[in-house]
């Protein structure tokens, strides 16, 4: 992607917790050190300046307002759905407004995705949304409006279904702390999906490629009996902290969900201070516990990145 129209390709990378990063191309395969994408007012994408930042964001450059330069189209799996940030400058000197323009379906539902593509999937001349990672599935938001004034239907499944996530969650729960299958033996992509579209088998049809994040769990054979007892105690403590944390997060989601249904921007909802303080305290305790958990882990973990191909019929 040439973000500033200088004839040199740049790299734009989304970050799970810290918004978007730009690696400015210098030519000859060289790039500047990655920096947060900066808005016209100097605030950085992913910081508190953007009213909560973005988690699991996916970034598209597209001329949303049809004025001849690319704007930012940013999706967020959890908090803020999909928003447009208008380029108030030019392609050569982009200046992105910090004002969010929410993009929702005709039913007023947020468009959420870990990895989102703005692409004409059904070849009707209008860009649609293809989202990956929502419930371990790939979904399609059809543009039922026009090319210049898009309107999006609620999603339908392209890969997976409404039970894909719960099925995998049950598997993860059953395998917690246990040795799991080898990466080559699993039957479905794992966590943190990133999707691409390409004609993989050259049959004239768009196929979907999914990159995932997989962890191979093996037994830690170096742990002594005393170490195993310590590991069990630490795990029980972490399980309790997770239980409290999950309960608090559920309460917060219920508050923001209620606000969303009432037509209020979730980012403007005031969460009770004692709830936030308690969640922050639990997070602090968990962070202090992680080093010991790693030291006395009953299992070893190795991360793999894999690519899956789903051919279009």
């Amino acid at each position: 992607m040439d973000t500033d129209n200088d004839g040199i390709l740049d790299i734009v990378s989304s970050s799970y917790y810290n918004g978007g990063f730009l690696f400015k191309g210098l030519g000859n395969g060289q790039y500047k050190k990655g920096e947060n994408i900066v808005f016209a007012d100097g605030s950085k994408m992913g910081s508190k300046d953007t009213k909560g930042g973005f988690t699991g964001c996916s970034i598209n450059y597209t001329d949303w307002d049809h004025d001849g330069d690319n704007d930012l189209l940013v999706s967020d799996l959890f908090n803020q759905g999909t928003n447009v940030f208008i380029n108030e400058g030019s392609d050569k000197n982009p200046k992105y407004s910090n004002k969010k323009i929410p993009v929702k379906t005709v039913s007023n539902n947020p468009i959420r995705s870990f990895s989102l593509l703005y692409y004409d999937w059904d070849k009707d001349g209008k860009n649609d949304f293809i989202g990956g990672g929502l419930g371990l599935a790939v979904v399609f938001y059809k543009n039922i409006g026009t090319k210049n004034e898009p309107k999006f239907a609620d999603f339908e499944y392209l890969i997976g279904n409404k039970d894909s996530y719960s099925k995998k969650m049950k598997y993860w729960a059953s395998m917690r702390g246990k040795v799991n299958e080898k990466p080559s033996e699993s039957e479905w992509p794992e966590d943190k999906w990133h999707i691409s579209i390409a004609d993989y088998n050259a049959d004239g049809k768009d196929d979907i490629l999914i990159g995932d994040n997989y962890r191979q769990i093996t037994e830690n054979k170096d742990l002594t009996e005393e170490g195993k007892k310590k590991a069990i105690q630490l795990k029980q403590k972490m399980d309790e902290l997770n239980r409290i944390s999950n309960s608090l997060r559920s309460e917060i989601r219920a508050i923001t969900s209620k606000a969303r249904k009432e037509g209020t921007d979730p980012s403007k909802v005031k969460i009770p201070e004692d709830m936030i303080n308690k969640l922050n305290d639990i997070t602090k305790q968990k962070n202090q516990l992680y080093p010991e958990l790693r030291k006395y882990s009953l299992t070893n973990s190795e991360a793999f990145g894999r690519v899956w191909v789903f051919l279009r019929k």
Side-chain angles (χ1 to χ4, degrees):
M1 159 62 68
D2 185 0
T3 62
D4 55 3
N5 203 26
D6 64 355
I8 301 174
L9 292 178
D10 311 304
I11 294 176
V12 177
S13 175
S14 57
S15 168
Y16 191 78
Y17 290 113
N18 297 310
F21 286 82
L22 172 64
F23 296 80
K24 184 74 182 70
L26 302 174
N28 299 317
Q30 301 296 310
Y31 297 88
K32 282 186 178 181
K33 181 180 178 181
E35 297 179 343
N36 274 103
I37 293 174
V38 178
F39 293 105
D41 65 357
S43 62
K44 298 178 180 179
M45 183 184 294
S47 70
K48 290 182 179 179
D49 297 328
T50 54
K51 301 179 180 64
F54 296 89
T55 58
C57 76
S58 180
I59 301 171
N60 289 265
Y61 282 74
T62 186
D63 187 4
W64 186 262
D65 57 0
H66 308 286
D67 65 349
D69 55 45
N70 280 325
D71 309 298
L72 287 179
L73 181 63
V74 183
S75 70
D76 179 283
L77 178 58
F78 301 112
N79 298 328
Q80 303 189 43
T82 296
N83 295 277
V84 175
F85 297 90
I86 295 297
N87 182 358
E88 297 175 340
S90 64
D91 263 354
K92 284 188 175 294
N93 185 26
K95 296 180 180 179
Y96 303 108
S97 168
N98 193 5
K99 182 180 178 182
K100 296 179 297 187
I101 301 176
V103 182
K104 297 185 178 183
T105 69
V106 291
S107 302
N108 202 37
N109 291 319
I111 295 174
R112 292 198 187 98
S113 181
F114 195 89
S115 176
L116 191 71
L117 300 178
Y118 191 47
Y119 181 81
D120 185 7
W121 177 253
D122 54 7
K123 299 296 182 281
D124 63 355
K126 303 174 294 185
N127 280 355
D128 313 291
F129 282 124
I130 311 295
L134 180 65
L136 296 185
V138 175
V139 297
F140 168 51
Y141 294 88
K142 179 177 174 57
N143 182 356
I144 56 177
T146 65
K147 182 178 180 179
N148 290 345
E149 296 183 4
K151 295 179 181 180
F152 301 97
D154 289 327
F155 71 79
E156 59 185 83
Y157 290 96
L158 296 179
I159 297 173
N161 54 51
K162 64 181 179 63
D163 298 321
S164 298
Y165 186 70
S166 59
K167 181 179 178 182
K168 204 64 187 181
M169 283 296 287
K170 288 177 183 177
Y171 169 77
W172 285 335
S174 70
M175 294 302 295
R176 191 172 292 134
K178 300 178 183 177
V179 174
N180 65 359
E181 70 236 16
K182 295 178 181 178
S184 59
E185 295 174 351
S186 59
E187 299 178 352
W188 197 254
E190 292 292 328
D191 199 13
K192 299 179 176 68
W193 288 17
H194 281 271
I195 62 173
S196 295
I197 295 174
D199 184 3
Y200 183 79
N201 58 348
D203 65 351
K205 300 176 183 177
D206 286 332
D207 307 306
I208 294 177
L209 284 72
I210 299 174
D212 74 352
N213 180 14
Y214 182 86
R215 289 193 173 273
Q216 168 71 52
I217 308 299
T218 56
E219 183 182 356
N220 183 0
K221 296 181 179 179
D222 297 328
L223 207 59
T224 64
E225 288 302 316
E226 207 52 44
K228 289 179 180 178
K229 291 179 182 178
K230 177 75 170 177
I232 292 171
Q233 291 173 353
L234 290 169
K235 183 179 179 302
Q236 289 173 341
K237 186 173 181 180
M238 180 59 83
D239 285 347
E240 176 60 14
L241 290 174
N242 281 330
R243 184 193 66 77
I244 299 171
S245 175
N246 290 339
S247 176
L248 286 168
R249 291 182 187 279
S250 292
E251 290 183 56
I252 292 172
R253 280 196 297 272
I255 293 171
T256 56
S257 178
K258 180 182 178 183
R260 187 179 292 112
K261 289 178 180 178
E262 294 173 349
T264 303
D265 184 345
S267 65
K268 296 180 180 179
V269 175
K270 185 171 178 59
I271 306 299
E273 190 172 344
D274 61 332
M275 191 178 292
I276 296 296
N277 290 339
K278 190 172 182 180
L279 185 58
N280 288 339
D281 181 59
I282 293 295
T283 301
K284 183 178 179 180
Q285 291 183 57
K286 288 170 64 176
N287 289 337
Q288 291 172 343
L289 200 58
Y290 281 131
E292 277 199 289
L293 273 172
R294 285 191 286 269
K295 182 179 178 181
Y296 292 99
S297 177
L298 293 167
T299 57
N300 293 319
S301 174
E302 185 177 0
F304 293 84
R306 304 171 299 179
V307 176
W308 300 69
V309 179
F310 291 80
L311 300 178
R312 192 171 188 177
K313 296 180 180 180

